[in-house]
Each structure stands twice: as structure tokens, then as C-alpha cells.
Amino acid sequence: MTPVELSRTVLRAVRRAVDGGELNVTVPGRAVVTPPGPGGRGDYATNIALQLARPAGQPSAKVAEILRPHLLDAPGVTDVVVTGPGFLNISLRDTTLAGLVEEILRRGLRYGHSDRPTGQIVRLHAPHEVRAVVVMDAIARILVSQGALVRTSSQAPPRPEWTDLLGARVDASDTPEAPTPVDASGPHALTPLDVDVRPVPAPADPTPLGRDAARWALLHPAAHDRPRITDEHLVQRESNPLFRVRYAHARTRALSRNAADLGFDPHPGDVRPGDPHHPGDPRVTAGVLIAALADHPRILGAAATAHAPDRLARHLVTVADATLAFLPTVLPLGDEKPSVAHRSRLALAEAAGTVLAGGLTLLGIDAPDHI
């Protein structure tokens, strides 16, 4: 069971409790599952009971105990333990790796995206400033990936280079109160949310950096931080986070080509080495990478909720660093023959490349196959 599937399982448990009259709440649109924190147990934990306690009118620990048997009945769940004020700690059968990789490769660039519209309408408005417009564009892309319906506006028409070179799209200008072009009257529609996007302005014109480096320079820092508009975003070395992200993606694509030349293809499964001569232990580097990939849907949800594309940018750096540490274990060494483990590692590498490409796409940045 992947994190996305587990999130759906948690929501189904809530729905069963509601249908059975045990809880009187509205089933939320999403349930966040994360690795357990200090004092936690199992493979994943969720705070859904704390989230529902107030609307249910019951203590969070009581809500957790109501949900626990419904989770225990779910396929793939082996144990559920309540800790702290009501955290549900969930243990899964040992199929997480293969299931996660299969989920990523099946969903492709849409891994971590919402399966359906949530009914939430968000109206974003930005001042006439390049960073604000680019950040607003990235926020809109991320919100749409999470099922929101988004309309963007600015105080004045964006400059041609902001749209043509930087790819920032604005739906309207000088009309922050313009009606949204979607029907908000359905039974599941939510109250429209109006958001002013006002990051610290760019200290210089970023367009000389080109689309990819300029967008990264504006999006990677948090909104309250002053961006650095310098050539450092163009250098192809480890000190440049954008280069590491794009290079890690390109390396995964190169490994797929190399593996094809060696006559083997990817297949999700166990990544343990076939012999003891590999540099490092693939189980260690793979574990770090798996955790980063599993966290991707949560990061997208958090970036959408906080209207913070910098969270996605920093997460991509984490995924890239974990990917680069894992990649030396993928291909056979010397006269070694490709094994089942090599095919599993190749599948994990391809999944990592997919997550990197999908994240860069949401930021409006190209993910080249060759660097």
C-alpha cells in the first residue's frame, strides 16, 4: 500500500464510522499520512483523529479508538496503535516499496495529484511585480494539481517577457473581484478563497537568466526571503541546487538507456544487492530515497495549503540528493550479470526521475533528459 492509497484507506475508515453512526462529521477531502514522529510506531501515522475531534464533539483519543477497528479491517494493514493525544500509527505488510514504485510509474507526472476536483475555488491576486506574478503562477499550478479551481489576476497586465520568457500566466488584470469562471453552486462547493500573493520583490530583473534559472531563483526561496538574482543559478556544479535536481533527473534517464543496452528493464521489487561488491549498501541509500518519494504527495498538499512553491522546490532538492546517492548501485559492475535486484533498483531510479520531472513541471521548469 502506497501513501496515497493509505490516505484513501483512512478516509474510507472515516466514512464507515460516519455511515455507522459512530461519528457525526463531514468526511474531509484528504487525510495526511506521514512517517511516525518521536514516540510513534509502525510505517505511517495520521492525525485525522485530532482533525475531526472538534467537529465530532469528542476527544481526539476517543475518535482514534473509533477509527482504529475500521483501519484494522483494511487490506494491507497489519496493526494500528493509538499514541499521544490521538495519533493513529499504522503498520503495513512489507509491500510498501514495490507498491510505491508501481504507483509512481503508473501515475507518471501526476503522482501525488488529486484524482478529482475538490470543489475548492481559489482566487489569487498579485501586484505588478515579476516575482509576485511568477510565484502566483506556480501556486496556481500546484493548487490545480490538488483539485482546486483557480483564477489568477494582477494589478496590471504582466510584461510580455514575464509571460513569453518566464511562462507566467495571468487570467485577468485590474479585476481582483472578477467572478470566477466556474460554477460554485454545487452541493460540494466550498466558499471561494481569496489570496493576495506578495512575496519579497525581486531585487533585479531575472529574465537574463532564462526561463528555468529565473523561475528557480524566484521560487526556491521562501516568500519572506529576498531572492538572489545572480549567475549562480546557471552554473553546472553541485553548489547549484537547480543543477542537482535536473542532473539527478537526467542521470535516471541515462541509466534507463544504459540498462536497455545491457538487456534488462525495470521491475519493482527488492533492492537488496545480488553480491557484496557494490559501493555502499543499496538498502540504506534506497531507504532514504523511498522515504523522500513517499513524502511527495504530502509535500504537494502542504505547498498547496500554504501557497508556498518553495516547499516543493526544497523537496525536489531532497529527492535529487537521495537519488544521486542511490544511482551508483543500479547497474551491474564489471562482469556481474543483471539480477532481479538490478531490475528493482532501476525501477526505483525511474520512479525518482518521474517525481523530479513532475515536480519541476509544476514549478514551470524544464526537466531535460540530457545534461
Side-chain angles (χ1 to χ4, degrees):
M1 187 183 300
T2 68
V4 173
E5 292 168 337
L6 179 58
S7 176
R8 296 174 188 145
T9 297
V10 172
L11 291 180
R12 284 194 292 269
V14 175
R15 187 171 301 280
R16 285 195 295 269
V18 170
D19 292 344
E22 300 169 273
L23 289 177
N24 183 18
V25 296
T26 299
V27 179
R30 69 166 48 239
V32 176
V33 295
T34 62
R41 297 172 58 181
D43 298 300
Y44 292 99
T46 178
N47 67 347
I48 191 70
L50 283 73
Q51 178 183 341
L52 297 177
R54 177 173 292 181
Q58 301 190 53
S60 54
K62 174 63 176 177
V63 174
E65 291 295 344
I66 291 172
L67 296 177
R68 182 175 179 271
H70 295 291
L71 285 169
L72 283 170
D73 286 341
V77 174
T78 59
D79 193 18
V80 179
V81 176
V82 178
T83 61
F87 291 102
L88 286 156
N89 295 255
I90 305 168
S91 297
L92 304 175
R93 292 194 182 97
D94 191 19
T95 58
T96 304
L97 169 58
L100 173 65
V101 173
E102 288 171 355
E103 170 81 359
I104 294 172
L105 296 180
R106 180 179 64 83
R107 296 293 302 276
L109 300 184
R110 291 185 56 81
Y111 169 64
H113 291 210
S114 174
D115 292 329
R116 60 187 62 85
T118 62
Q120 178 67 69
I121 298 169
V122 184
R123 297 184 293 213
L124 304 173
H125 184 68
H128 185 65
E129 189 275 323
V130 61
R131 189 186 185 200
V133 170
V134 170
V135 169
M136 179 174 67
D137 175 76
I139 293 172
R141 293 167 184 255
I142 295 171
L143 283 168
V144 169
S145 81
Q146 300 304 292
L149 300 166
V150 182
R151 179 178 174 85
T152 59
S153 63
S154 63
Q155 290 176 341
R159 295 179 182 175
E161 60 268 28
W162 299 356
T163 56
D164 299 341
L165 178 63
L166 301 183
R169 187 178 66 183
V170 177
D171 297 325
S173 302
D174 286 318
T175 55
E177 300 302 325
T180 174
V182 295
D183 181 9
S185 61
H188 301 294
L190 303 175
T191 302
L193 178 64
D194 292 298
V195 178
D196 279 328
V197 180
R198 293 182 176 275
V200 172
D205 179 13
T207 56
L209 297 177
R211 173 169 173 155
D212 294 332
R215 288 185 71 101
W216 183 268
L218 298 173
L219 297 174
H220 182 252
H224 58 268
D225 290 332
R226 189 170 185 259
R228 296 169 58 89
I229 311 300
T230 68
D231 290 345
E232 68 188 69
H233 301 291
L234 297 172
V235 298
Q236 297 198 29
R237 60 172 69 106
E238 285 188 3
S239 60
N240 178 4
L242 175 59
F243 170 73
R244 296 207 306 278
V245 172
R246 284 155 53 103
Y247 177 67
H249 169 264
R251 286 287 299 126
T252 65
R253 300 307 181 230
L255 281 175
S256 296
R257 297 191 294 269
N258 296 152
D261 291 340
L262 294 173
F264 74 98
D265 54 9
H267 184 77
D270 194 348
V271 299
R272 288 178 295 181
D275 67 51
H277 301 297
H278 287 275
D281 185 343
R283 288 168 293 186
V284 176
T285 55
V288 176
L289 177 55
I290 292 163
L293 299 182
D295 205 29
H296 186 66
R298 183 188 69 83
I299 293 294
L300 289 183
T305 300
H307 311 122
D310 58 286
R311 295 192 182 188
L312 173 57
R314 291 195 298 273
H315 174 65
L316 293 180
V317 177
T318 298
V319 173
D321 290 343
T323 301
L324 291 171
F326 172 72
L327 293 186
T329 72
V330 173
L331 296 180
L333 297 178
D335 295 332
E336 184 184 11
K337 300 297 183 183
S339 67
V340 172
H342 291 113
R343 296 179 66 195
S344 299
R345 290 180 224 147
L346 180 61
L348 179 55
E350 290 194 353
T354 298
V355 168
L356 291 170
L360 286 171
T361 299
L362 285 177
L363 296 178
I365 296 173
D366 185 40
D369 288 348
H370 302 268
I371 288 185

